[in-house]
Amino acid sequence: MNLVNLITFYLCDPQILKASLADSRADTKSSACLTLSFLQANAASGVAVHDDCKLRFLDLKAKRTYRYIVFKIEMEQKQVIVEKLGEPTESYEDFSDCSASLPADECRYAVYDFDYVTDENVPRSRIVFVGWSPDTSKVRNKMIYASSKDRFKRELDGIQIELQATDPSEMGLDVIRSRSN
């Protein structure tokens, strides 16, 4: 029996779960407890994405209404929400300034509309996804953001570059330029 069937089995039949926990054999107790802790870990990462996040991202991508968007996970509601919107006139320095848009002690997601000119003098634009996870943030916060990142990115169709940053130097303008070509 694989792990998914085992979890389903325990979920669908609470009597068997109770009997397993009441059983005096240690291996049965530990497998039931292992199954429960596995379920709780997956439940903790099940963060929803607010519709406003998708709408604002589409505005950034299609209409270029914003230069960047900073997202945060609202822990009480267990959903990703929009925290800050950058005006189209703002620069990359405005975005990467940690005190203004990315806090030094909390994780965030961000997307940035990066405009550049190629070596052939052709103007281009790339949408950059940044997973901001500073070393000073709490471990639980880092784990929730890391486990929710892929699902969140799937909701934002059109991301071309992904960066994982723990300090501002890992998401510098030179790093983005080198990944854009």
Side-chain angles (χ1 to χ4, degrees), residues 90-106:
E90 291 189 48
S91 68
Y92 186 76
E93 287 75 28
D94 296 328
F95 165 69
S96 63
D97 180 19
C98 290
S99 61
S101 58
L102 298 173
D105 60 348
E106 292 182 30

Side-chain angles (χ1 to χ4, degrees), residues 76-126:
E76 291 89 35
Q77 299 171 354
K78 294 210 184 269
Q79 68 178 353
V80 181
I81 60 169
V82 173
E83 182 180 46
K84 183 173 183 190
L85 300 167
E87 295 299 319
T89 57
E90 291 189 48
S91 68
Y92 186 76
E93 287 75 28
D94 296 328
F95 165 69
S96 63
D97 180 19
C98 290
S99 61
S101 58
L102 298 173
D105 60 348
E106 292 182 30
C107 298
R108 294 290 187 268
Y109 302 124
V111 290
Y112 182 80
D113 187 7
F114 177 62
D115 294 325
Y116 66 102
V117 178
T118 64
D119 294 337
E120 294 82 26
N121 208 20
V122 178
R124 296 279 169 118
S125 178
R126 296 276 187 251

